[in-house]
């Protein structure tokens, strides 16, 4: 392995991970882990990569990409210990997939533009999913392989896009708006009933709103993230105003809080 003064290589990283998982002298925490216990860390690291991109911080992005790579190496090491596959198999599989799905680059196929490439990519993935389903003795579904572990908002979009590709879709945004109003009415009707019914109707409402975002070419995860940041910014502005008066939010009534919120909005409008 390279010395601390030299640059580490991918082989060094693989060796470090193997050493950490070595029953004879490895790290107790690393040795206790499994695919299930590491999976949440993998998801968290992916989100931290996205945060670094949103911040535009290249040094932070470099660090977070390393953390994400470590997750891949960790999973591959555990699989190697089971005799299932190793990191080289992971590299082989993704490299082969990229070559296969880009015949316009690595073979003699012709693709006119990015939209045509996307359509060809999706068609090839659909064919692969159908072949896998048939091989397993299952009826193929347009919804196959939409990961259940995805955040619900992202999974909703993927399910809707898959359904839309086979023609199950609204023809215009106005129809989805009508559906949203219908679902909102159903939430209101459910309020006097059981909490389970309310939860179901709220879920339907969120699904319909997500569908509207998709139809309007708005990425709902990004839109909600922006709304979260806006809420946080305005709430902190409100807290700062109260702190300057020697108060905390819980010391103010709702009318005061609303007035401070409006002031925060006005300050943003003036600044922007």
């Amino acid at each position: 392995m390279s010395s601390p003064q030299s640059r580490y290589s991918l082989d060094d990283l693989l060796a470090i991970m193997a050493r950490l998982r070595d029953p004879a002298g490895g790290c107790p925490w690393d040795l206790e882990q499994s695919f299930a216990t590491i999976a949440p860390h993998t998801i968290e690291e992916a989100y931290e990569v996205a945060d670094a991109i949103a911040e535009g911080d290249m040094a932070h992005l470099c660090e977070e990409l390393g953390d994400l790579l470590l997750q891949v190496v960790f999973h591959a090491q555990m699989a190697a210990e089971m005799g299932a596959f190793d990191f080289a198999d992971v590299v082989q599989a993704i490299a082969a997939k990229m070559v296969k799905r880009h015949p316009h680059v690595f073979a003699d196929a012709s693709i006119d533009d990015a939209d045509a490439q996307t359509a060809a990519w999706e068609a090839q993935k659909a064919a692969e999913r159908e072949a896998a389903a048939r091989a397993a003795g299952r009826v193929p579904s347009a919804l196959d392989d939409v990961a259940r572990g995805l955040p619900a908002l992202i999974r909703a979009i993927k399910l809707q896009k898959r359904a839309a590709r086979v023609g199950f879709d609204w023809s215009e945004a106005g129809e989805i708006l009508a559906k949203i109003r219908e679902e909102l009415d159903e939430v209101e009707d459910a309020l006097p009933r059981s909490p389970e019914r309310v939860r179901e109707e709220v879920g339907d409402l969120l699904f319909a709103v997500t569908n509207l975002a998709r139809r309007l070419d708005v990425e709902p995860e990004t839109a909600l993230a922006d709304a979260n940041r806006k809420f946080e910014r305005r709430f902190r502005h409100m807290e700062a105003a109260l702190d300057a008066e020697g108060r905390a939010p819980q010391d103010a009534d709702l009318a005061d809080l609303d007035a401070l919120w409006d002031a925060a909005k006005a300050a943003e409008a003036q600044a922007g």
Side-chain angles (χ1 to χ4, degrees):
M1 185 180 297
S2 303
S3 67
Q5 288 76 30
S6 63
R7 289 179 66 87
Y8 290 109
S9 67
L10 180 55
D11 286 340
D12 290 331
L13 179 59
L14 294 171
I16 288 168
M17 192 70 254
R19 176 72 179 275
L20 291 172
R21 290 280 298 180
D22 187 348
C27 171
W29 185 89
D30 290 277
L31 285 166
E32 288 179 356
Q33 303 313 305
S34 66
F35 294 111
T37 62
I38 289 298
H41 297 284
T42 307
I43 294 168
E44 179 181 348
E45 295 299 349
Y47 277 109
E48 290 183 0
V49 166
D51 283 345
I53 292 171
E55 293 167 2
D57 186 336
M58 290 297 102
H60 188 199
L61 177 57
C62 179
E63 178 184 354
E64 295 301 342
L65 285 171
D67 290 344
L68 184 58
L69 175 60
L70 179 63
Q71 298 300 305
V72 178
V73 170
F74 207 139
H75 285 290
Q77 175 63 31
M78 290 187 291
E81 293 164 6
M82 297 169 54
F85 60 83
D86 61 16
F87 187 81
D89 294 319
V90 174
V91 173
Q92 170 64 26
I94 189 58
K97 183 186 293 185
M98 290 299 98
V99 170
K100 180 180 179 181
R101 290 185 177 173
H102 293 83
H104 57 294
V105 175
F106 300 104
D108 56 2
S110 177
I111 296 290
D112 293 334
D113 53 31
D115 289 340
Q117 163 59 16
T118 298
W121 177 280
E122 293 300 339
Q124 188 165 41
K125 289 198 296 184
E128 291 171 1
R129 288 194 298 268
E130 180 174 358
R134 297 291 186 194
R138 294 186 290 103
V139 175
S141 169
L143 308 182
D144 281 344
D145 295 336
V146 179
R148 289 180 173 83
L150 288 170
L153 188 60
I154 295 174
R155 189 164 194 265
I157 281 289
K158 285 186 173 289
L159 291 171
Q160 292 166 3
K161 285 182 176 179
R162 290 282 188 88
R165 288 191 195 119
V166 297
F168 190 69
D169 197 11
W170 303 102
S171 59
E172 58 182 36
E175 294 174 327
I176 308 177
L177 284 169
K179 182 64 174 177
I180 289 172
R181 295 185 187 101
E182 175 188 328
E183 297 295 354
L184 188 57
D185 288 342
E186 291 182 5
V187 170
E188 188 173 5
D189 290 343
L191 290 178
R193 304 182 188 183
S194 68
E196 291 78 12
R197 180 65 183 276
V198 172
R199 181 180 63 194
E200 178 185 351
E201 297 300 344
V202 169
D204 291 346
L205 175 61
L206 291 170
F207 193 84
V209 171
T210 302
N211 218 343
L212 177 65
R214 178 186 61 85
R215 167 59 66 175
L216 298 176
D217 290 326
V218 172
E219 172 52 57
E221 186 75 18
T222 303
L224 184 56
D226 290 343
N228 288 342
R229 283 191 288 270
K230 180 167 62 178
F231 177 87
E232 182 179 9
R233 189 170 61 245
R234 291 175 179 174
F235 193 86
R236 289 179 181 276
H237 185 283
M238 185 178 68
E239 288 177 313
L242 285 168
D243 186 70
E245 299 173 1
R247 295 193 293 165
Q250 57 267 32
D251 301 326
D253 59 26
L254 185 56
D256 284 342
L257 295 176
D258 281 340
L260 289 167
W261 183 267
D262 289 340
K265 289 172 62 177
E268 281 188 1
Q270 186 176 8

